[in-house]
Amino acid sequence: KLPKRSTSGNIAIEFALTSYPDSDIYIYGIETKKSDSNAVKSHYFDDDNDKDTHNTWISSTKKYHDLEKEKKYIRKLISAGKVIEL
């Protein structure tokens, strides 16, 4: 079994933080909340019960990525002021 790996979004955030340490790093469109019925959906964190065309892709994504861990990590970066959520 392959280990879980970061999504391209988290890799991009890490790249920005490393490459531009003195710059403000802004993120947009990444769902970071634990639970929010009014949340804007993102293709990474959509509901498993979605019946749209992305459902198979979403299930596959969750197989290779720990999305809850990624959300927690992004929330930590926001709380620490390392990234700014628009």
Side-chain angles (χ1 to χ4, degrees), residues 35-74:
S35 172
D36 186 349
S37 59
N38 297 322
V40 175
K41 286 185 172 185
S42 143
H43 65 275
Y44 285 122
F45 304 140
D46 276 345
D47 185 354
D48 279 332
N49 296 318
D50 263 350
K51 299 299 181 210
D52 66 8
T53 57
H54 287 274
N55 196 42
T56 302
W57 186 83
I58 292 163
S59 296
S60 175
T61 299
K62 289 182 179 184
K63 179 179 177 180
Y64 298 107
H65 306 292
D66 187 338
L67 302 179
E68 288 304 315
K69 188 183 237 182
E70 290 203 14
K71 284 196 248 186
K72 184 178 178 181
Y73 176 67
I74 294 170

Side-chain angles (χ1 to χ4, degrees), residues 5-7 13 15 17-19 21 24 28 33-34 42 44 47-48 50 54-55 60 66-67 69 71 75 77 79:
R5 55 190 179 261
S6 291
T7 58
I13 291 169
F15 174 80
L17 290 168
T18 302
S19 299
D24 290 336
Y28 178 79
K33 295 173 180 56
K34 289 182 183 179
S42 143
Y44 285 122
D47 185 354
D48 279 332
D50 263 350
H54 287 274
N55 196 42
S60 175
D66 187 338
L67 302 179
K69 188 183 237 182
K71 284 196 248 186
R75 286 193 304 268
L77 291 175
S79 294

